[in-house]
Amino acid sequence: MTALPGGTPRFTTARAVTVAVILAALCAALGVLALGLGAVPTPARSVLAALLGGGDDLTRQLVLELRAPRVAVALLCGAMFAASGTVMQGVIRNPLASPDLIGVGAGAGLAATVFLLAWPAAPPGGLPWAALAGAWGGFGLVLLLAQERGGRLHPVRLALVGVAVAAALGAAQQLVLVRAPDGLGSALTFLTGTVYGADSLRAARLLPWALILLPAAWVLHRTLDILNLGEDLATSLGTRVNPARLLALGVGVALAGAAVTGAGILGFVGLLAPHVARLLVGARHARALPVSMLLGAALVLAADTLGRTLLPPLEVPAGLLTTLVGAPYFLYLLRKTP
């Protein structure tokens, strides 16, 4: 990062690449650490050997079949929540926008819960679609209640309405879980914000959505930059603002809805990661989006790994730890926003 005359920082592509490489290395290191943790600890050398196709049968089973899906789900969900938050903040032009704060995560969680209770034998591929419908429902409800006269959205009003709607939807989800049949209620505990019990089926269900939506979010980086300039200037530059907003919001909501089906509602990941990314590489979405994805992935994997080691044999949900980190920052932003 260099400085322009007057002391204004200028973020460069080289800096963004360096930050991304460092974060990717951090994710890899956390992954190796997480793959070695468990009832049967596995040294890092044995973990690397198993990943490269070596090692004994027991080590390969522990690392590749039991632990690797959990690590993959944590990385994918963290990246998807972070990308969703970055897109939403860019479209709404609101620094307080994130999937868990504007009803997207809670709506997706409630819809996923109802779907699994109503159709317990439904194919796994239907769950993300149900979560996507719920995510749009929650988001639409927040926008409807938060709009002022003239369609204006005040950042603080949006955040407060979003928190209230998310709390109401979360309470409804808990009520549904209490009424769930024995066995099915425990199967839905991942919706509380944890990757505990993640298996290869869950990872395989998430992967196609991540492979489509994460690149789609990056492809929209120019659109997000233009929308950030304001509606009048974006229109003068030839952008059809409403279709562009709808497309970008569709990608953002889909990212959060799919992520909820993998790890539940991970609090404040979609708020914290975009802000830190902009501090590191600037506001241009071509740089901020990849860095935000890597930050979200590292944050969720670190929270899950820490949660497994704090109170063994009990596990602290990753969502609880991300909330403990993100809630103070949210209060700081709320106080700072005029």
Side-chain angles (χ1 to χ4, degrees), residues 46-248:
S46 299
V47 169
L48 293 174
L51 292 175
L52 296 174
D56 56 78
D57 292 339
L58 177 60
T59 301
R60 286 198 299 271
Q61 183 180 18
L62 286 173
V63 171
L64 301 179
E65 297 180 19
L66 299 179
R67 297 172 184 168
R70 179 169 183 163
V71 172
V73 168
L75 291 171
L76 290 175
C77 289
M80 293 169 79
F81 273 122
S84 176
T86 306
V87 170
M88 289 179 181
Q89 289 173 17
V91 175
I92 304 175
R93 301 177 64 206
N94 187 329
L96 299 176
S98 73
D100 50 308
L101 290 178
I102 56 175
V104 173
L110 177 59
T113 303
V114 173
F115 177 82
L116 288 176
L117 286 173
W119 295 283
L127 182 60
W129 292 103
L132 178 60
W136 268 110
F139 180 58
L141 181 60
V142 170
L143 288 183
L144 180 65
L145 296 176
Q147 277 189 352
E148 300 175 353
R149 290 184 179 180
R152 183 172 178 267
L153 282 173
H154 191 276
V156 174
R157 180 180 175 87
L158 179 68
L160 294 177
V161 171
V163 169
V165 170
L169 294 176
Q173 178 192 335
Q174 293 300 319
L175 178 62
V176 172
L177 287 175
V178 169
R179 303 288 296 178
D182 292 342
L184 187 55
S186 60
L188 293 170
T189 54
F190 76 91
L191 288 171
T192 59
T194 178
V195 292
Y196 174 78
D199 54 15
S200 57
L201 290 178
R202 197 188 300 183
R205 186 178 66 219
L206 275 176
L207 187 60
W209 290 82
L211 290 177
I212 294 172
L213 293 174
L214 290 176
W218 186 86
V219 168
L220 292 172
H221 66 87
R222 292 185 183 275
T223 299
L224 294 171
D225 287 340
I226 293 175
L227 291 176
N228 255 337
L229 299 175
E231 184 171 348
D232 293 339
L233 186 52
T235 302
S236 68
L237 292 174
T239 300
R240 299 175 62 190
V241 174
N242 287 334
R245 281 178 176 165
L246 184 61
L247 175 62

Side-chain angles (χ1 to χ4, degrees), residues 9 12 19 48 70 92 106 182 188 205 208 212 222 241 251 253 265 273 280 286 310 318 325 329 331:
T12 63
V19 171
L48 293 174
R70 179 169 183 163
I92 304 175
D182 292 342
L188 293 170
R205 186 178 66 219
I212 294 172
R222 292 185 183 275
V241 174
V251 172
V253 171
I265 303 169
L280 291 174
L310 280 178
V325 174
Y329 189 70
L331 295 175

